[in-house]
Amino acid sequence: MVESSVFYSQLSTKDSFNTSVRHINRTLDVLDACGPGVNAADKINEALAKKEMAECEVLSIINMLFVDKWKYSVFSGNLHSVIDDASRLVEQVASWKRFDFILGYHHPDLGFMVLNPKNPESASVIAGFRKNELLTVYAGTPDDNSADGAAAAAELLFHLVEGEKVKTPAQLLQGKFVFSAPKKAVARHPSAKRTAAKASRAAKLAPRASSGPVVVMTKQTSPAALAEEERPQAQPAPAAVGAHARMTPFVSVVVTNELFHNGNVEAWKRIIRSYNAKYPNLQVNVYYDGERIVDINTLFKWGKVKHGSCIQFTVSGENIQDVAKLSRYFRQGASPQFEAFLKGSPDSVMNLF
């Protein structure tokens, strides 16, 4: 029995060690790829899309590279507003060649995601940012050059995301950090030189010498601190750039029943249960008045939601399907015809999809 316990203890330790080694290797892969024409966020999203990295690793990789090693300046805060034209933001930031930038956004449904604000594909994601959610801006250079002005640039970008009109300082336009569209991967044969380089690259993770501490500036970084302020307006939810779990735009369902009462609630619960039975890897998110409703019973009480009210939903995950059919069932479930979904026992799963 003792020998068995020791064996499982050793096995667990070995698995933990292997996981750590794989995580370090993935961090080094991002480190090796980064440069003036390659942004770390693009490489991370590419690895996530290829299933070469887990989403739970992203935050630690960002902290290890940008804070511990490269000493990037950081500006974080809860968004008070969001820019209307995200494509204009990307176009403006693309001209800021002086520094490398990363956006770290804490999406309330999809979790932490990273974006390259100079990548045109990021515009659709930035357009889905929501008020009162936490955004962190990293600005700096991954080399030994002076990063004077990085803190001010990070704050400037934050305010730009909030929709403020900012004037680009002349010094931000001079530099080498430009966006380059990723090239298609080309198969390569391993070489002894490349193998040797990989064997010795672990030393690259050593923190860079810095003449001063990393500059961290915050506005109000607690996502819960603004809970009592104005609820965020419903906006199109983002589909993260090539990597994170996808999410559909908000789909609106108008209540056509006189009241959205317990029968309508039960109909919606059965519709969601049927959808989850067919697509267990997809998640249906319900929203009302800009707020996500985790348990619809807590909000949809008698008289709370009336005729003409608008309920919204999204579906998140990979390979999203049958959203139109789901919307059609929800509309019927919010109408006087909701009883069609109440047949059978309460625990039964209807074959709707």
Side-chain angles (χ1 to χ4, degrees):
M1 187 70 178
V2 174
E3 293 178 355
S4 177
S5 299
V6 171
F7 169 78
Y8 284 112
S9 175
Q10 292 175 344
L11 179 63
S12 177
T13 302
K14 181 179 179 181
D15 290 343
S16 178
F17 174 77
N18 291 338
T19 300
S20 299
V21 170
R22 287 192 293 268
H23 174 67
I24 292 174
N25 284 334
R26 285 189 281 267
T27 303
L28 289 169
D29 288 338
V30 176
L31 174 66
D32 287 344
C34 289
V38 180
N39 183 274
D42 291 332
K43 297 305 297 182
I44 289 173
N45 287 326
E46 180 183 331
L48 288 171
K50 294 179 179 179
K51 307 296 184 183
E52 297 173 351
M53 183 185 298
E55 293 188 14
C56 60
E57 299 179 78
V58 175
L59 192 55
S60 62
I61 290 176
I62 291 296
N63 185 73
M64 182 180 295
L65 293 182
F66 292 96
V67 178
D68 294 339
K69 178 172 175 56
W70 290 330
K71 310 297 182 184
Y72 274 35
S73 294
V74 180
F75 188 92
S76 62
N78 296 93
L79 293 168
H80 291 150
S81 57
V82 180
I83 191 170
D84 294 329
D85 187 359
S87 59
R88 178 171 57 85
L89 177 149
V90 173
E91 183 179 354
Q92 183 172 356
V93 178
S95 67
W96 296 3
K97 303 175 184 178
R98 175 67 183 87
F99 297 113
D100 179 40
F101 294 95
I102 293 286
L103 296 181
Y105 176 68
H106 293 262
H107 193 281
D109 302 316
L110 300 179
F112 181 74
M113 58 175 61
V114 291
L115 301 168
N116 175 9
K118 299 181 182 180
N119 187 341
E121 293 186 4
S122 298
S124 61
V125 186
I126 296 173
F129 285 2
R130 305 181 198 173
K131 292 166 55 178
N132 299 341
E133 299 299 339
L134 180 61
L135 174 69
T136 303
V137 181
Y138 303 84
T141 59
D143 50 35
D144 294 328
N145 295 334
S146 172
D148 292 341
E155 183 177 1
L156 203 65
L157 178 51
F158 185 95
H159 293 310
L160 191 61
V161 174
E162 288 189 311
E164 297 183 19
K165 293 183 179 180
V166 301
K167 184 177 180 180
T168 300
Q171 58 268 29
L172 272 182
L173 301 176
Q174 304 299 322
K176 57 185 179 180
F177 292 95
V178 297
F179 172 72
S180 299
K183 299 179 180 179
K184 293 184 178 180
V186 179
R188 296 180 180 177
H189 295 285
S191 64
K193 184 177 180 180
R194 182 176 178 84
T195 303
K198 275 194 171 184
S200 62
R201 64 180 180 163
K204 293 183 180 181
L205 282 179
R208 170 178 95 186
S210 175
S211 57
V214 60
V215 179
V216 179
M217 304 178 66
T218 63
K219 291 178 68 178
Q220 184 177 356
T221 55
S222 171
L226 295 170
E228 300 303 322
E229 293 189 7
E230 178 185 357
R231 291 294 183 184
Q233 297 297 318
Q235 302 177 27
V241 180
H244 306 270
R246 303 299 199 275
M247 177 181 284
T248 66
F250 281 92
V251 181
S252 298
V253 177
V254 177
V255 177
T256 56
N257 201 15
E258 182 179 356
L259 293 171
F260 196 94
H261 54 62
N262 291 336
N264 301 108
V265 172
E266 184 62 28
W268 273 48
K269 289 167 64 176
R270 293 194 181 192
I271 294 168
I272 294 174
R273 187 187 307 154
S274 176
Y275 188 83
N276 288 338
K278 179 66 179 292
Y279 305 111
N281 296 324
L282 299 180
Q283 181 175 351
V284 179
N285 309 302
V286 178
Y287 302 83
Y288 181 72
D289 196 22
E291 177 185 3
R292 183 182 175 188
I293 308 304
V294 179
D295 181 4
I296 61 177
N297 290 302
T298 62
L299 178 65
F300 299 154
K301 297 178 180 179
W302 188 278
K304 180 79 172 181
V305 181
K306 301 179 180 180
H307 180 278
S309 298
C310 183
I311 306 171
Q312 296 177 307
F313 75 92
T314 65
V315 179
S316 59
E318 296 184 359
N319 192 24
I320 298 174
Q321 300 182 52
D322 279 341
V323 176
K325 184 181 291 187
L326 180 63
S327 176
R328 185 168 66 251
Y329 287 142
F330 275 158
R331 289 197 300 272
Q332 182 177 347
S335 74
Q337 285 77 43
F338 66 90
E339 293 183 354
F341 300 101
L342 303 185
K343 298 177 181 179
S345 64
D347 296 330
S348 62
V349 178
M350 304 184 72
N351 185 22
L352 300 176
F353 298 93

